[in-house]
Amino acid sequence: MNPWPFVAAAYVVTLGGGALVAAFSYVAMRRAERRGK
Amino acid sequence: MPALHALANPARFLTIARSLTPALTWIGVALIALGCWAGLTQTPPDYLQGETVRILYVHVPAAWLGMGGWSGIALSSIAYLVWRHPLARVAARAIAVPGALFAAICLISGSIWGRPTWGTWWQWDGRLTSMLLLFFVYCGYIALARADADRGGDGRIPALYGIAGSVLLPIIRYSVVWWNTLHQGPSIGLTKSTIDNAILWPLPIMLAGFTLFFAGIVLMRMRAMLATAKAEARLARMARA
């Protein structure tokens, strides 16, 4: 069994999930801080 | 403790958080990039698991953040119930979503690791089942905290739930000792590890990187919640005027 597709999938899930939550949090923060000014 | 009380002032906290947020996030991203490069290209394959062992460098930090996130919720909940720090309640709510996400990533990356290593995507053993329970407990907390905030609650019920949920943490930690599981036993301790240093060394870099990145996300979420609360308070004042 070729292990690399499994390794790649694990990295994509982790890095992609982390990047998504960071992007959503950043956008929510900027929007809320603009509204709060 | 006086330093903690000083930080509980939202205005002072925001001044510090504004400079800390980009610093923590970008240092975290740089360390994660370094750890990925090291883990994927600079370490040898394991003699038994082969290249699959490289999943270790993302799976362990995800597990660390999933469990560490709940420790943060429990500690913030205690601080909220004991000292009524307004920021403690905000911190607990801010940790919940990224904590749940990393608990889910831990489960998914573990499942991806399990298929070539154990020959199965999933096994209802102690470690996997207790981690899945933690993910569900996170989901319950997110729903409860949102409902409490929507109905103008005082935050005590989510705080009690946050403390009660921490009972899962030692169960997850010791599940591989208490029960005969498919998951390997504890391989990394505070003072020693059963993993060879040639494979282990990128892991602390990834752990540090993901921890800083997680802290940056929590600060972003706290700033968003504080700004929303400020805007809502202003709207309420305008409505009364």
Side-chain angles (χ1 to χ4, degrees):
Chain A
M1 189 183 285
N2 179 8
W4 284 106
F6 294 95
V7 175
Y11 276 73
V12 166
V13 166
T14 308
L15 301 178
L20 264 181
V21 77
F24 275 116
S25 304
Y26 179 77
V27 170
M29 177 191 76
R30 291 302 298 265
R31 193 175 296 158
E33 287 186 338
R34 261 201 309 271
R35 220 160 43 107
K37 273 181 187 163
Chain B
M1 196 52 67
L4 269 183
H5 282 282
L7 267 179
N9 177 323
R12 193 169 299 145
F13 168 81
L14 279 174
T15 309
I16 298 167
R18 278 193 196 104
S19 51
L20 268 183
T21 308
L24 293 177
T25 309
W26 287 113
I27 295 171
V29 167
L31 286 175
I32 291 168
L34 177 68
C36 284
W37 168 76
L40 289 171
T41 66
Q42 300 299 306
T43 56
D46 181 62
Y47 80 100
L48 202 60
Q49 299 184 37
E51 305 289 358
T52 317
V53 76
R54 300 184 196 284
I55 296 174
L56 165 90
Y57 306 119
V58 287
H59 175 70
V60 173
W64 159 257
L65 291 178
M67 292 174 68
W70 196 272
S71 306
I73 289 176
L75 290 174
S76 302
S77 300
I78 291 170
Y80 179 67
L81 288 178
V82 174
W83 293 293
R84 290 279 158 187
H85 283 186
L87 277 180
R89 182 184 180 188
V90 174
R93 284 192 65 196
I95 292 169
V97 169
L101 176 94
F102 279 102
I105 288 173
C106 168
L107 289 165
I108 297 167
S109 60
S111 178
I112 293 170
W113 197 354
R115 181 68 186 89
T117 309
W118 303 331
T120 180
W121 296 100
W122 184 261
Q123 183 76 28
W124 291 101
D125 80 354
R127 173 59 67 85
L128 277 67
T129 308
S130 54
M131 197 66 202
L132 181 65
L133 273 177
L134 179 67
F135 173 70
F136 289 143
V137 169
Y138 263 118
C139 295
Y141 180 87
I142 292 166
L144 191 62
R146 187 164 297 170
D148 184 74
D150 286 349
R151 68 174 179 82
D154 63 359
R156 267 186 303 179
I157 293 172
L160 289 170
Y161 182 94
I163 295 166
S166 62
V167 76
L168 265 177
L169 299 178
I171 295 176
I172 297 170
R173 174 74 178 84
Y174 292 105
S175 56
V176 290
V177 178
W178 293 339
W179 298 296
N180 186 18
T181 68
L182 196 56
H183 194 283
Q184 70 196 57
S187 45
I188 303 166
L190 281 177
T191 52
K192 60 174 185 166
S193 163
T194 57
I195 303 171
D196 191 87
N197 277 338
I199 289 177
L200 189 67
W201 70 269
L203 187 60
I205 300 173
M206 287 294 254
L207 282 172
F210 272 102
T211 304
L212 295 179
F213 183 66
F214 186 89
I217 293 170
V218 170
L219 285 183
M220 287 181 210
R221 296 180 59 78
M222 287 180 75
R223 285 172 59 181
M225 287 176 191
L226 289 171
T228 304
K230 188 178 164 190
E232 282 172 358
R234 194 172 57 202
L235 279 175
R237 274 199 309 273
M238 283 163 66
R240 276 198 302 270

